[in-house]
């Protein structure tokens, strides 16, 4: 992902490639891809953590400023990984609704 302190802004995603990674435009991401996110990067997709753990700023989605997340937990587009490193299985791609709150997060808030 592109590092940017603006939590709604990211145009690239990092995918595993051989022994390294490659940056690709978000429009090329597919369901079931694994996206790599490093500390201080904006999470650009909705998915489930498959490797790693981290502290995420989810305030714009759930109201929780700091949420600890680990393998098996859901993460949401436009949140920011404050600490840690994650590999996330892409489960939702919806460019038109990317900035809308996912239904599962709405349930958490209620």
């Amino acid at each position: 992902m592109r590092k940017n302190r603006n939590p709604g802004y990211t145009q690239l995603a990092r995918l595993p490639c051989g022994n390294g990674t490659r940056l690709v435009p978000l429009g090329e991401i597919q369901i079931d891809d694994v996206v790599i996110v490093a500390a201080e990067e904006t999470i650009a997709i909705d998915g489930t953590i498959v490797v790693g753990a981290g502290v995420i700023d989810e305030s714009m989605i759930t109201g929780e400023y700091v949420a600890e997340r680990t393998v098996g937990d859901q993460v949401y587009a436009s949140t920011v990984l404050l600490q840690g490193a994650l590999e996330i299985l892409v489960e939702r791609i919806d460019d038109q609704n990317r900035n809308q709150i996912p239904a599962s997060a709405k349930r958490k808030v209620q």
Side-chain angles (χ1 to χ4, degrees):
M1 307 271 160
R2 180 177 173 171
K3 286 190 178 185
N4 191 303
R5 298 214 187 264
N6 178 355
Y9 177 79
T10 202
Q11 296 178 348
L12 299 173
R14 189 177 311 116
L15 299 178
C17 180
N19 292 331
T21 62
R22 65 186 172 105
L23 291 174
V24 299
L26 283 180
E28 294 180 18
I29 300 298
Q30 302 291 315
I31 299 292
D32 293 330
D33 279 347
V34 173
V35 173
I36 298 170
V37 182
E40 297 185 16
E41 292 181 341
T42 300
I43 297 171
I45 49 82
D46 294 341
T48 300
I49 299 171
V50 293
V51 175
V55 176
I56 299 174
D57 176 359
E58 295 183 346
S59 58
M60 69 286 296
I61 305 257
T62 65
E64 294 180 57
Y65 173 66
V66 176
E68 294 184 19
R69 299 286 180 245
T70 191
V71 173
D73 290 337
Q74 296 276 239
V75 294
Y76 305 103
S78 299
T79 58
V80 178
L81 180 61
L82 301 173
Q83 297 175 353
L86 304 174
E87 292 185 21
I88 302 167
L89 178 67
V90 178
E91 295 177 338
R92 178 172 165 238
I93 299 172
D94 188 350
D95 291 331
Q96 292 179 341
N97 296 323
R98 189 168 300 282
N99 292 322
Q100 293 182 3
I101 298 173
S104 56
K106 288 180 184 175
R107 286 190 293 274
K108 284 184 183 179
V109 173
Q110 297 171 351

